[in-house]
């Protein structure tokens, strides 16, 4: 487990975050350029090493996040902490109005669309949602396993 000071150093290596002291020697870190109402990325970082990162409804963290979209980072190592902070900042920076669309096809000519929208990677067949994934990598792996390739 990383110490409080180690977690602080990692968090403060993200220049887009602003530290704010709160009660009981705890710290919050805000992302002031958030495109959403919420600006707190790291909540209640405590000298005992406990703290939370806001990931909202990112599917990648659905098993770890509580009902408020917070993930406890007490046991996180450096790599995991850096990754979740980057994901949280990206989540709060995301313009959810402009989806990314990729076409995939099978040998039989079946066409699927891989669409990044509202923080998820969704696979559609004729406007019907077939599957939803938290990461592009998971969606692409699924498509390859099912015999699909990117359409050129």
């Amino acid at each position: 487990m990383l110490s409080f000071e180690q977690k602080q150093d990692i968090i403060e290596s993200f220049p887009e975050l602003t530290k704010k002291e709160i009660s009981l020697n705890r710290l919050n870190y805000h992302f002031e350029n958030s495109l959403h109402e919420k600006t707190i990325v790291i909540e209640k970082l405590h000298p005992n090493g406990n703290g939370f990162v806001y990931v909202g409804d990112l599917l990648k963290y659905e098993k770890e996040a509580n009902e408020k979209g917070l993930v406890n980072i007490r046991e996180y190592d450096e790599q995991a902490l850096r990754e979740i902070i980057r994901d949280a900042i990206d989540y709060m920076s995301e313009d959810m109005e402009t989806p990314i669309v990729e076409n995939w096809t099978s040998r039989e000519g079946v066409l699927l669309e891989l669409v990044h929208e509202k923080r998820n990677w969704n696979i559609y067949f004729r406007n019907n949602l077939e599957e939803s994934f938290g990461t592009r990598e998971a969606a692409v792996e699924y498509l390859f396993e099912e015999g699909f390739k990117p359409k050129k």
Side-chain angles (χ1 to χ4, degrees):
M1 180 175 83
L2 297 169
S3 69
F4 174 71
E5 292 77 16
Q6 289 170 315
K7 286 180 181 170
Q8 245 187 310
D9 288 344
I10 293 165
I11 294 165
E12 291 175 10
S13 73
F14 290 87
E16 54 267 73
L17 298 179
T18 305
K19 176 171 69 173
K20 298 197 179 178
E21 295 181 13
I22 58 173
S23 63
L24 304 172
N25 296 319
R26 296 175 300 170
L27 302 171
N28 282 349
Y29 287 85
H30 292 254
F31 176 54
E32 303 298 343
N33 293 326
S34 175
L35 296 178
H36 308 276
E37 187 175 322
K38 181 133 176 99
T39 65
I40 300 174
V41 174
I42 289 94
E43 284 192 21
K44 301 174 186 147
L45 182 64
H46 191 278
N48 70 8
N50 206 25
F52 300 90
V53 174
Y54 177 72
V55 295
D57 58 2
L58 282 173
L59 283 179
K60 182 175 179 179
Y61 299 100
E62 71 180 333
K63 291 181 180 163
E64 297 176 73
N66 66 18
E67 65 281 350
K68 294 180 182 176
L70 297 169
V71 173
N72 190 310
I73 57 167
R74 181 178 183 88
E75 301 297 326
Y76 270 46
D77 64 17
E78 180 176 355
Q79 181 180 349
L81 183 56
R82 286 187 186 283
E83 184 177 334
I84 196 170
I85 293 170
R86 175 52 46 211
D87 289 344
I89 292 170
D90 290 349
Y91 173 81
M92 295 171 107
S93 302
E94 189 174 67
D95 175 7
M96 295 189 310
E97 301 303 315
T98 310
I100 298 169
V101 179
E102 298 175 13
N103 291 311
W104 288 68
T105 186
S106 69
R107 288 183 188 169
E108 296 80 26
V110 176
L111 181 67
L112 295 180
E113 286 185 334
L114 175 59
V115 182
H116 185 239
E117 57 188 353
K118 297 185 180 176
R119 304 175 192 102
N120 298 318
W121 289 91
N122 298 319
I123 298 173
Y124 289 95
F125 175 70
R126 297 185 183 153
N127 296 325
N128 293 316
L129 178 65
E130 294 295 319
E131 293 287 339
S132 189
F133 298 89
T135 65
R136 182 179 187 284
E137 293 79 18
V140 167
E141 180 180 337
Y142 170 83
L143 286 165
F144 279 128
E145 286 175 0
E146 296 296 318
F148 285 84
K149 301 219 182 283
K151 186 175 181 186
K152 296 179 182 177

